Amino acid sequence: MRARPIVDRVLSVWGLLVIAFLFTPIAVIVVYSFNRGRLLASWEGFGFDAYAAALSNDDIISAVSVSVRAAAGAALIAVVLGTLCGYALARHPGGRIGRLVTALLALVLVTPEIVSGVALLPWFVSLGVDHDLTLFNSGWVRLVVAHSLFATAVVTFLVRARMQGMDSSLEEAAADLYTPPMRRFRLVTLPLLLPSVLAGALMAFTLSLDNTIISAFVQVSGSTPWPVYVFSAVRAGLRPELAAMSAVMLLLTLAALAAVALVLRRTGGSKEAVDALSGVR
């Protein structure tokens, strides 16, 4: 009985050490984004010069714009397809088709990104060049499609887990009142799925926003996303403006997280669902 408080204190200290290990690099980047020096590692005083340089750099703004637009498109596709797929798998889990779809989605999650990138590049080239589907010559379209593949699998499993834990009595009551299926899904099922749908949308957005490997394969000239731009720029030296824009991107992600949590609270989302969003990133 006396050893219990000691174990609790040790676990608490260990938890704090793990949190510090995870978040110290992020804190360092944020702090050094206020460096007035030419190089990030050389501190020459506090200032906002790096933010001004980042916001006035057309290449940085273009890369961030490409990433945000691609992440928004990928999240939209993933939410629509993943919600419908998760609903179908939860309501009809049996059968060969259901097991096959689940296995394929699980395979997408565990496939290394380098393999996905190598597979997607010739496919896009074949569609855009050999089959004259010029839509796939667009770098933005390539990024959206490539990022939505993994994100759709993530949203599907989130929605399916939510559906399996839901009481179907409300849907059955709506059916007993002769509510049409589409109206029943829109007015009854979808509001109940809202926590998982919003969490999936945020996760799809953030996964797309920081994807580097697949983006490096499928991008085309003029549509370089932010992670690929940073990866190329650090070879010449990590400049403070890169840290400044990274801090801005972090702020945007936290703002999106806060917005989703606020929507969940106002729409009656459970406390557990709101708390779970804190562990998305």
Side-chain angles (χ1 to χ4, degrees), residues 4 15 27 70 212 256:
R4 183 68 179 177
T212 305

Side-chain angles (χ1 to χ4, degrees), residues 156-174:
T156 297
F157 286 119
L158 285 174
V159 172
R160 188 184 70 165
R162 174 72 175 178
M163 284 292 301
Q164 291 175 338
M166 279 172 40
D167 187 2
S168 61
S169 60
L170 292 177
E171 293 180 289
E172 294 173 356

